[in-house]
């Protein structure tokens, strides 16, 4: 009878199920991150044949515990009836952390992949290495601009004028 008592609009059974889902997702995320990090530590340092795999592992190494926690909480409380403002905050926090983590993954992957390519070409063509370094910086900026635009779009902001302004600024 106690499991069906209501607390903040949800039964204790619903709260318990949400807590179990949250803990299961958190445990899975931490375990997955640990497995990837263990694989990363075992690699022998050779980057030629496995550059894409190493790029993925290096990027995944930067997965934060906070990201895993927010992911677990977001999906753990998905089936609860929350106040509209709390649900909106949960969604905004989720999208912010998701796009921030995605930006970290992409910039880390771009930097690692680009730097490994630069190391290979710097002795043969030093001018090309300088150009590649500048392209990596521009790529990082482009990634963060896209992440901010995606976050704003998911929060309900009308980004069409902002995108048009960026396009005009790019042409200028």
């Amino acid at each position: 009878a106690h499991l069906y008592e209501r607390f903040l609009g949800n039964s204790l059974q619903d709260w318990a199920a949400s807590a179990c889902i949250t803990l299961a997702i958190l445990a899975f995320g931490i375990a997955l991150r640990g497995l990837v990090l263990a694989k990363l530590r075992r690699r022998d340092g050779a980057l030629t044949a496995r550059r894409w795999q190493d790029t993925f592992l290096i990027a995944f190494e930067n997965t934060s515990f906070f990201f895993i926690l927010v992911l677990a909480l977001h999906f753990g409380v998905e089936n609860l009836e929350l106040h509209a403002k709390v649900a909106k905050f949960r969604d905004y926090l989720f999208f912010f952390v998701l796009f921030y983590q995605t930006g970290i993954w992409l910039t880390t992957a771009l930097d690692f992949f680009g730097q490994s390519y630069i190391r290979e070409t710097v002795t043969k063509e030093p001018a090309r290495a300088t150009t590649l370094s500048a392209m990596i910086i521009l790529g990082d900026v482009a990634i963060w601009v896209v992440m901010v635009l995606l976050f704003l779009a998911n929060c309900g902001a009308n980004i069409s004028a902002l995108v048009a302004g960026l396009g005009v600024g790019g042409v200028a």
Side-chain angles (χ1 to χ4, degrees), residues 56-98:
F56 170 76
L57 291 174
I58 294 291
F60 198 77
E61 179 182 27
N62 289 309
T63 302
S64 71
F65 173 78
F66 187 69
F67 169 70
I68 298 169
L69 178 65
V70 168
L71 190 75
L73 285 171
H74 178 77
F75 290 111
V77 300
E78 186 81 17
N79 63 344
L80 293 178
E81 293 180 28
L82 301 173
H83 187 274
K85 288 184 180 180
V86 174
K88 190 177 252 189
F89 174 76
R90 178 200 66 199
D91 291 341
Y92 288 168
L93 178 65
F94 171 72
F95 284 122
F96 176 78
V97 172
L98 175 69

Side-chain angles (χ1 to χ4, degrees), residues 140-156:
D140 287 347
V141 170
I143 287 168
W144 285 113
V145 166
V146 168
M147 292 301 115
V148 168
L149 290 174
L150 286 172
F151 173 70
L152 291 173
N154 279 289
C155 289

Side-chain angles (χ1 to χ4, degrees), residues 160-172:
S160 58
L162 188 56
V163 171
L166 288 171
V168 169
V171 169

Side-chain angles (χ1 to χ4, degrees), residues 26-139:
L26 185 63
F28 177 77
I30 291 170
L32 179 64
R33 183 176 185 271
L35 287 172
V36 170
L37 292 180
K39 183 171 177 69
L40 182 64
R41 289 185 192 105
R42 282 194 315 262
R43 68 182 180 87
D44 57 0
L47 300 175
T48 53
R50 300 182 328 219
R51 183 179 303 165
W52 286 105
Q53 180 184 5
D54 288 338
T55 302
F56 170 76
L57 291 174
I58 294 291
F60 198 77
E61 179 182 27
N62 289 309
T63 302
S64 71
F65 173 78
F66 187 69
F67 169 70
I68 298 169
L69 178 65
V70 168
L71 190 75
L73 285 171
H74 178 77
F75 290 111
V77 300
E78 186 81 17
N79 63 344
L80 293 178
E81 293 180 28
L82 301 173
H83 187 274
K85 288 184 180 180
V86 174
K88 190 177 252 189
F89 174 76
R90 178 200 66 199
D91 291 341
Y92 288 168
L93 178 65
F94 171 72
F95 284 122
F96 176 78
V97 172
L98 175 69
F99 292 125
Y100 179 76
Q101 183 64 61
T102 303
I104 295 291
W105 284 333
L106 292 174
T107 55
T108 301
L110 178 64
D111 293 344
F112 175 77
F113 191 78
Q115 293 302 326
S116 66
Y117 189 76
I118 287 172
R119 279 192 297 274
E120 291 175 4
T121 60
V122 72
T123 56
K124 300 175 214 164
E125 303 175 61
R128 190 175 202 185
T130 304
T131 304
L132 287 172
S133 294
M135 290 178 68
I136 290 170
I137 292 169
L138 290 174

